[in-house]
Amino acid sequence: MYTIPDFATLRRVLDRLYVRYTPPRRAEGDDVLGTLVRTILSQQTTRAATDQAFTALLEHANADWHRIAHAPTSIIEDVIRPAGLARQKAQRIQALLSQVHDEFQSYDLEHLHQMAPEKARAYLLKFKGVGPKTAAFTLMAACAMPLFPMDTHIFRIFERLRWLDPTLGDEAAHQQMQALIPPDDRLPAHMALVEHGRTLCRARNPLCEHCPILTDCPTGSSPPD
């Protein structure tokens, strides 16, 4: 039986996850292009590795997108190697920067703030390496758009909590959970849930005995006495 949680249950679960993972909240003035580049770096890696690679990239180029776009790709690869998939990500970041500059004669995507969410997402999806999750996360984090990107970790957690019917299609599931999560919680909830799925609520051998939301999980198991 799958049931959309009431607000008290949702609040309790999110607050317990926040205590465990202390996710970041959106800072006013987040740069859209910088957030997009950082999100590309975050694909298939941890937050710590992403932070390390993004900081190294900015420090190497003195936060100059032009220098990053025109540097030898091998150098960018070396700089962002902590995030993994360095060659692929370096090529995609440099191609993205070049496309943005060719279109606007500057390294700037702040105009997306004025676009409707679906139009902004469609615009970002034209860049190689930017999929639906990357586009939605960028717009949620940098533009405070009313989006809630879900990945396999979040789907798995919501299904185990019996909040989400796995027979729902992806679009219906996204719409249902996006409506459930309050706007101010979308970024921290996304970050905390992804971290939870990576560390404890894993696809195989979940570490239920360490789970901060075990008492709200009907599919979790307590360790034997």
Side-chain angles (χ1 to χ4, degrees):
M1 182 68 180
Y2 297 89
T3 305
I4 296 176
D6 58 32
F7 182 77
T9 301
L10 173 68
R11 186 77 269 153
R12 180 173 61 250
V13 166
L14 292 182
D15 287 345
R16 287 177 179 174
L17 290 173
Y18 295 162
V19 169
R20 179 64 179 258
Y21 302 107
T22 57
R25 290 187 176 270
R26 177 180 178 270
E28 291 301 322
D30 279 356
D31 170 67
V32 180
L33 182 58
T35 301
L36 179 57
V37 170
R38 190 187 185 286
T39 307
I40 291 171
L41 286 172
S42 76
Q43 295 168 354
Q44 299 183 53
T45 193
T46 65
R47 193 197 311 178
T50 301
D51 290 343
Q52 183 180 350
F54 187 61
T55 298
L57 182 64
L58 295 183
E59 289 179 349
H60 172 78
N62 196 26
D64 185 333
W65 295 123
H66 180 82
R67 290 181 61 185
I68 295 170
H70 294 277
T73 303
S74 60
I75 292 179
I76 302 301
E77 286 178 38
D78 287 340
V79 172
I80 67 171
R81 199 166 301 283
L85 301 174
R87 175 170 295 185
Q88 180 187 91
K89 291 178 181 179
Q91 291 172 347
R92 288 178 175 179
I93 288 169
Q94 288 187 306
L96 163 72
L97 293 173
S98 295
Q99 283 181 257
V100 170
H101 190 270
D102 287 347
E103 187 170 352
F104 301 107
Q105 287 70 59
S106 66
Y107 299 100
D108 190 320
L109 288 176
E110 296 306 298
H111 68 283
L112 295 184
H113 282 276
Q114 280 69 57
M115 295 177 70
E118 288 308 313
K119 287 190 175 181
R121 182 160 57 177
Y123 173 80
L124 290 181
L125 289 174
K126 74 179 186 178
F127 296 108
K128 187 173 183 179
V130 178
K133 178 191 165 188
T134 295
F137 182 87
T138 298
L139 297 171
M140 174 187 68
C143 302
M145 289 190 179
L147 301 170
F148 184 68
M150 302 213 326
D151 70 353
T152 55
H153 298 294
I154 299 177
F155 274 106
R156 180 170 65 251
I157 293 167
F158 285 170
E159 288 170 9
R160 286 176 172 171
L161 288 168
R162 298 291 194 224
W163 292 0
L164 184 64
D165 186 340
T167 64
L168 280 179
D170 279 3
E171 185 60 28
H174 273 91
Q175 293 299 324
Q176 179 176 302
M177 302 317 292
Q178 185 169 285
L180 175 69
I181 307 296
D184 288 346
D185 280 292
R186 285 175 183 159
L187 175 59
H190 175 92
M191 300 295 284
L193 286 161
V194 169
E195 198 76 12
H196 186 55
R198 285 174 172 165
T199 59
L200 296 181
C201 196
R202 304 178 304 195
R204 299 180 64 183
N205 302 317
L207 302 176
C208 296
E209 64 271 25
H210 301 296
C211 179
I213 58 173
L214 179 60
T215 55
D216 283 292
C217 183
T219 64
S221 59
S222 299
D225 293 334

